[in-house]
Amino acid sequence: MIVDINVQNFQQALIQASMSKTVVIYFHAQQVPECQPMTPLLERLIGADSAHIDLAKVDVADPQLQSLAVQLGLQALPAMVAFKDGQPVDVLEGPQDEAALKAFLQPYQPNEAAQLLAQAKQTLGQDPQAAYGLLQQARTLEDSPAIRLCLAEAALALNKLEESKQLLATIGMADQDSQYQHILARLQLAEEAADSPELRELEQKLAETPDSPALKEELAVLYFQAGRQEEALQLLIEVLRQDLAFGDAKKRFLDMLTTMGADPVASRYRRKLYSMLY
């Protein structure tokens, strides 16, 4: 939010607002030339809809507001004071370029990785594939335990059991909180379900008849349902190499690739199929 401070809204827009977010108080005056380029620049960098910072503009030409600048000991205009919990925490005085303003605001704004993580958490329940993509982006920016833990949860929701297991293995003891324990318990249940008697029986049949495309297709479906996606794709690519038109193998293969989205494993097997088709 961007607000012009006056005597009436001073308490609410500065003191009360700073209890829930950072308020940057911007002291300026129309008659000070250095303020002219800084005002729109600061408004653009903070934005009218920021969830983390309010910009409170104080025109020191107003006699009723001059005392605020005096109380804060300001010596030059323009000036910025970061306010949190009703107290000043940082001051920047004099004309500044965009780089200096960004550096001043940076501690009070979440970084891109944190924003992606927050967005992924909101998305995970409705669209785990979208959340998975956001978390992969976040991890390229910051490989933190929080991001890896959320990525493990998204991978589990997408039945990527091995990936989820590998991610959980990277979480140190200090970060093994209730979320970690919840994901671990769900993963263990999923792994138990993935090793069903039906699946083991089909594996035995295929071992006895290793060239059967029908058994490979059937087992591939069970593998995919059990989160063993790469094994499923490998079986189907073997079927398609034998007979590109066998049963529903090609359709199943394409459906699996679609479900996996931008997964690197899916991309690799997609290229294998294209090399056979073209």
Side-chain angles (χ1 to χ4, degrees):
M1 181 174 67
I2 299 175
V3 59
D4 288 304
I5 296 301
N6 53 49
V7 174
Q8 288 72 36
N9 68 4
F10 170 86
Q11 183 69 27
Q12 180 180 2
L14 288 187
I15 307 303
Q16 293 181 12
S18 73
M19 298 300 174
S20 58
K21 59 165 62 172
T22 300
V23 176
V24 171
I25 312 173
Y26 173 55
F27 293 87
H28 66 100
Q30 183 70 29
Q31 64 270 29
V32 178
E34 292 83 359
C35 295
Q36 307 313 313
M38 240 180 82
T39 301
L41 180 57
L42 191 56
E43 290 176 344
R44 176 172 63 81
L45 291 176
I46 292 178
D49 300 317
S50 173
H52 307 281
I53 302 178
D54 280 353
L55 177 60
K57 297 161 61 180
V58 175
D59 186 348
V60 296
D62 185 341
Q64 293 181 300
L65 298 175
Q66 289 175 1
S67 60
L68 180 58
V70 174
Q71 290 173 19
L72 292 170
L74 300 181
Q75 302 294 319
L77 292 179
M80 293 183 297
V81 179
F83 234 63
K84 286 179 70 69
D85 300 320
Q87 299 292 328
V89 293
D90 201 1
V91 178
L92 185 64
E93 296 182 82
Q96 307 292 332
D97 60 13
E98 183 169 350
L101 292 178
K102 285 182 176 179
F104 180 81
L105 297 172
Q106 192 276 328
Y108 315 110
Q109 293 176 315
N111 59 31
E112 187 177 353
Q115 291 175 320
L116 288 168
L117 175 59
Q119 188 178 351
K121 286 181 176 180
Q122 293 179 340
T123 308
L124 185 56
Q126 294 75 34
D127 191 347
Q129 186 67 59
Y132 181 82
L134 291 169
L135 290 163
Q136 285 184 312
Q137 293 178 49
R139 196 180 181 193
T140 63
L141 299 170
E142 181 183 318
D143 191 14
S144 68
I147 290 173
R148 276 183 268 124
L149 191 57
C150 199
L151 185 57
E153 185 172 5
L156 181 58
L158 294 171
N159 225 14
K160 301 175 184 286
L161 305 188
E162 187 57 33
E163 181 179 352
S164 183
K165 186 176 183 178
Q166 291 173 358
L167 287 164
L168 287 181
T170 70
I171 306 299
M173 290 290 294
D175 298 299
Q176 293 181 10
D177 56 9
S178 57
Q179 182 188 9
Y180 170 90
Q181 299 298 337
H182 177 67
I183 298 170
L184 182 62
R186 286 174 53 199
L187 176 62
Q188 290 170 342
L189 289 173
E191 287 183 323
E192 290 174 7
D195 191 26
S196 65
E198 181 185 6
L199 191 149
R200 289 197 298 271
E201 181 182 352
L202 203 54
E203 287 177 328
Q204 181 60 39
K205 288 182 179 179
L206 183 60
E208 295 169 357
T209 317
D211 294 326
S212 170
L215 287 175
K216 287 181 179 180
E217 183 180 353
E218 188 178 354
L219 183 57
V221 172
L222 291 183
Y223 273 163
F224 196 80
Q225 292 172 348
R228 297 165 65 175
Q229 296 161 326
E230 186 166 3
E231 292 174 271
L233 292 172
Q234 180 58 38
L235 283 176
L236 287 178
I237 205 74
E238 290 174 9
V239 172
L240 294 173
R241 281 172 179 159
Q242 288 178 265
D243 182 356
L244 199 57
F246 180 83
D248 292 324
K250 183 179 176 181
K251 180 181 182 304
R252 294 186 191 280
F253 188 85
L254 292 172
D255 287 345
M256 290 179 187
L257 294 179
T258 300
T259 301
M260 294 172 69
D263 189 298
V265 172
S267 298
R268 189 166 73 250
Y269 277 89
R270 191 176 287 111
R271 287 194 297 270
K272 290 182 179 185
L273 178 62
Y274 289 165
S275 67
M276 294 165 55
L277 293 175
Y278 306 107

